[in-house]
Every structure is written in C-alpha cells, then in structure tokens.
C-alpha cells in the first residue's frame, strides 16, 4: 500500500449536495492528520486537523478510522466556492515530516 | 501581518544555470521546508530545516541545495544538476515541538527552464 492514497476524482456535485472523500494511509503509528485545500495554481492552505475524536467546523467534518487506516472529509451543503483540490496529509515519521496525498479534485456545479 | 513570502512568483532559467528561490517567514517558526509540486503528483519534500544552521535532505534532494543562516530565511538553490527543474516550488514553515505538525505555505514560485 502506498504511504498515502487518495481518489483523484474529479467529484462533480451540485450545489447543496453532501460529498465525502477518503484518504488511506499505511503507517499505523501516525498520530495526527490534516486536510488542506489547494485552489488552482495556489499554495495549499490548512482546512482542518483530524484527531482521534474527529473534528467538525461548520459544514466540514473530518473523521479518523484507525482500524481501517483512513481519514475522511465530509462537506455538507456544498458551495461553488468549495471547488478546489483537497489534500490529505499524514505524518511520515521523523520530526515534523509529513507526506501529502496527491489530492482529490472537487467541482461544485450550479 | 505574519506570513511566509516567496520570490519571485515566476522564474525562467536557461538550461545549465543555477537559480536561487527566496523564502522568508516572520511567524517565528523554527522549522522550514521546501517542496516541489508537479502536475498530477503530490507535494514532494526536497529539504527541511528544524533549526538555524541545520538542515536535512528530503525525498528528492538531488540537484538542490539550501542554507539556514537565519531563522527567518531558507533559500533554495536549483542547480544545473537537477534534471527536471521545471515545477511549482513551495516553501512552508511550522512550529517545532508541537505534536500536530501543521505547516503554513508561502504562495510558491513557478520555475520554468527554457
């Protein structure tokens, strides 16, 4: 299994829909996970941290499933402005080192 | 405003030339990183530094060099030995000592080799 894997998409969803992405990881010792958002030709920006108990921020919910080694990102009531690529990030061992997934592209359609 | 700046935004280089990309941060972060991003690929780590005057190779360090003489600055030199230097280069910084490893990115430099 690759260190971090994501479905590249694209996920094309209508406005107002709920959409979920998964990200699988192979390092069972990983403790902290993140979701970043990257707009076209821009830098990644931190969207959410993912801890053991999960995390919710408005329309966004991140969950961790340690048994199956994946994290998920749920977006409710999708907005046009949610269109972006979503990168999952997993600590890869070593001090402050992480591995980025290749990203899942989301396109919200009017 | 605190943040990370990278310059230039776009850079064109002839084959065989070395070029240095600038990265500056005023977030008082100890750790700094350089990544490159190619179309359809995730970010790949080139070099990272946890403290001034110390840095380590990442996964794709060949053809690159760095220095960390000041806490705020972590310049990256792309040498002529780098076979495929055309890419989007991203600098990031983070607070060491935290368990959650969040990183904050600069706006990036797009390097094109002509």
């Amino acid at each position: 299994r690759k260190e971090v894997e994501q479905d590249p998409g694209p996920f094309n969803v209508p406005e107002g829909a709920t959409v979920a992405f998964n990200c699988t990881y192979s390092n069972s010792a990983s403790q902290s996970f993140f979701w970043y958002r990257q707009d076209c030709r821009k830098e990644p920006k931190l969207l959410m941290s993912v801890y053991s108990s999960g995390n919710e921020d408005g329309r966004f919910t991140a969950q961790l499933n340690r048994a199956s080694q994946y994290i998920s990102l749920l977006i409710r009531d999708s907005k046009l402005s949610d269109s972006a690529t979503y990168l999952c990030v997993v600590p890869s061992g070593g001090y402050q080192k992480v591995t980025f997934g290749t990203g899942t592209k989301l396109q919200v359609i009017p | 405003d605190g943040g990370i700046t990278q310059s230039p935004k776009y850079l064109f280089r002839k084959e065989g030339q070395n070029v240095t990309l600038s990265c500056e941060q005023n977030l008082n972060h100890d750790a700094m990183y350089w990544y490159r991003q190619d179309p359809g690929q995730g970010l790949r780590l080139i070099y990272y530094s946890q403290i001034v005057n110390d840095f380590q190779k990442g996964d794709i360090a060949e053809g690159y060099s760095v220095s960390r003489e000041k806490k705020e600055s972590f310049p990256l030199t792309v040498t002529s030995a780098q076979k495929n230097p055309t890419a989007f280069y991203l600098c990031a910084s983070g607070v060491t000592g935290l368990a959650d490893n969040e990183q904050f990115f600069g706006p990036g430099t797009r390097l094109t080799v002509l």
Side-chain angles (χ1 to χ4, degrees):
Chain A
R1 173 187 267 188
K2 287 185 180 177
E3 200 160 359
V4 180
E5 282 194 272
Q6 291 185 257
D7 181 342
F11 284 58
N12 297 312
V13 302
E15 269 188 289
T18 295
V19 62
F21 314 131
N22 284 344
C23 169
T24 58
Y25 63 93
S26 59
N27 182 355
S28 60
S30 295
Q31 294 296 313
S32 300
F33 307 82
F34 305 89
W35 284 102
Y36 282 72
R37 170 197 170 121
Q38 186 174 26
D39 292 294
C40 188
R41 300 179 70 80
K42 298 286 189 181
E43 75 274 22
K45 293 186 177 177
L46 181 66
L47 180 65
M48 298 182 74
S49 303
V50 188
Y51 299 109
S52 297
S53 57
N55 193 9
E56 184 171 325
D57 183 4
R59 298 183 294 109
F60 298 83
T61 300
Q63 296 280 352
L64 167 63
N65 185 317
R66 284 198 183 279
S68 300
Q69 294 188 204
Y70 72 86
I71 61 172
S72 63
L73 178 67
L74 180 78
I75 305 175
R76 290 179 294 277
D77 189 22
S78 297
K79 312 290 185 191
L80 295 176
S81 57
D82 294 333
S83 297
T85 297
Y86 292 83
L87 311 175
C88 69
V89 179
V90 176
S92 51
Y95 197 42
Q96 285 272 324
K97 282 186 66 179
V98 296
T99 298
F100 284 78
T102 53
T104 296
K105 186 172 183 179
L106 171 66
Q107 186 70 46
V108 181
I109 304 164
Chain B
D1 286 337
I4 303 176
T5 57
Q6 291 185 244
S7 61
K9 189 172 182 179
Y10 298 96
L11 187 58
F12 298 89
R13 187 196 94 177
K14 292 183 179 179
E15 274 193 44
Q17 288 181 337
N18 292 355
V19 63
T20 297
L21 312 184
S22 167
C23 177
E24 304 278 334
Q25 56 98 358
N26 60 5
L27 299 168
N28 200 33
H29 287 167
D30 285 314
M32 296 186 75
Y33 311 82
W34 274 105
Y35 295 89
R36 72 175 272 170
Q37 187 175 34
D38 296 279
Q41 297 195 38
L43 276 69
R44 291 185 290 167
L45 182 65
I46 303 172
Y47 267 98
Y48 65 102
S49 168
Q50 298 166 6
I51 199 168
V52 174
N53 293 322
D54 184 60
F55 49 82
Q56 285 80 41
K57 292 181 180 180
D59 302 317
I60 54 164
E62 185 175 353
Y64 299 98
S65 65
V66 293
S67 63
R68 187 83 187 277
E69 297 176 1
K70 298 188 299 181
K71 187 175 184 177
E72 302 79 19
S73 179
F74 191 39
L76 173 75
T77 297
V78 184
T79 75
S80 56
Q82 168 50 233
K83 301 300 181 189
N84 297 295
T86 294
F88 186 36
Y89 289 88
L90 289 158
C91 178
S93 69
V95 180
T96 58
L98 293 182
D100 51 4
N101 296 358
E102 293 171 330
Q103 295 184 27
F104 301 87
F105 287 85
T109 293
R110 290 196 178 274
L111 173 64
T112 302
V113 175
L114 304 172

